């Protein structure tokens, strides 16, 4: 299973933003989101108190198009709005690179998206769940 949860605050740049330019950026992001044909999961761009934020989340049976699209979206937001910041948590229990028992964190800041290990919910076994064989002994 592939699990993902994330948020990003959309800002034109790390300093003061030009509202007109920010409106153009928001329109571009809204258009980009309409290109995704997701059958399930959360992908929304919202406004609150004059600020914009992106929310993503979901569970898929396998790491598929959603995984690649959401990472590309975060990278693209970093390029067009380098003041944006946020986190994208992912877990792929089929990961063949040794990360199948942990969450990975993509950190968006100052136009860059960097991959980091999760210190809070990993390793998945035993921080979140017990191994199946340890439950049998109870």
């Amino acid at each position: 299973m592939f699990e993902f949860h994330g948020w990003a605050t959309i800002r034109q740049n790390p300093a003061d933003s030009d509202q007109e330019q920010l409106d153009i950026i928001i329109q571009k992001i809204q258009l980009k989101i309409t290109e995704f044909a997701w059958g399930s999961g959360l992908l929304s761009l919202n406004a609150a108190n004059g600020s914009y934020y992106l929310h993503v989340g979901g569970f898929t049976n396998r790491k598929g198009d959603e995984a690649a699209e959401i990472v590309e979206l975060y990278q693209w937001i970093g390029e067009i709005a380098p003041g944006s910041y946020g986190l994208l948590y992912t877990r792929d229990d089929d990961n063949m690179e040794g990360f199948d028992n942990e969450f990975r964190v993509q950190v968006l800041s100052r136009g860059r998206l960097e991959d980091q290990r999760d210190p809070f919910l990993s390793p998945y076994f035993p921080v979140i769940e017990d191994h199946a064989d340890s439950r049998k002994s109870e």
Side-chain angles (χ1 to χ4, degrees):
M1 178 173 44
F2 181 73
E3 177 178 357
F4 62 100
H5 306 280
W7 61 269
T9 297
I10 311 300
R11 295 185 58 210
Q12 179 189 357
N13 58 55
D16 293 330
S17 291
D18 174 345
Q19 188 61 44
E20 187 174 316
Q21 287 292 10
L22 182 59
D23 290 343
I24 292 168
I25 290 168
I26 294 303
Q27 290 172 3
K28 287 180 181 181
I29 295 170
Q30 287 171 328
L31 182 61
K32 184 78 158 176
I33 287 173
T34 64
E35 296 173 5
F36 299 137
W38 289 14
S40 62
L42 169 69
L43 176 56
S44 66
L45 182 64
N46 304 288
N49 201 27
S51 296
Y52 292 90
Y53 60 96
L54 177 78
H55 271 159
V56 300
F59 297 87
T60 58
N61 195 27
R62 296 274 182 257
K63 187 176 180 179
D65 292 341
E66 289 96 340
E69 289 173 346
I70 208 63
V71 170
E72 289 171 13
L73 178 61
Y74 268 68
Q75 289 171 330
W76 181 73
I77 288 172
E79 292 169 13
I80 67 166
S84 299
Y85 58 91
L87 301 173
L88 175 62
Y89 270 73
T90 60
R91 189 176 77 87
D92 180 6
D93 64 3
D94 289 332
N95 184 287
M96 298 301 183
E97 297 171 10
F99 301 122
D100 59 316
N101 190 35
E102 65 184 67
F103 279 91
R104 300 298 292 176
V105 184
Q106 300 280 329
V107 179
L108 176 63
S109 176
R110 295 190 169 264
R112 293 185 310 272
L113 188 64
E114 296 180 357
D115 188 46
Q116 297 186 11
R117 287 195 123 140
D118 164 57
F120 304 108
L121 298 173
S122 299
Y124 190 83
F125 299 102
V127 172
I128 296 174
E129 282 188 15
D130 294 331
H131 281 286
D133 39 327
S134 69
R135 290 188 297 249
K136 291 177 187 175
S137 63
E138 294 177 355

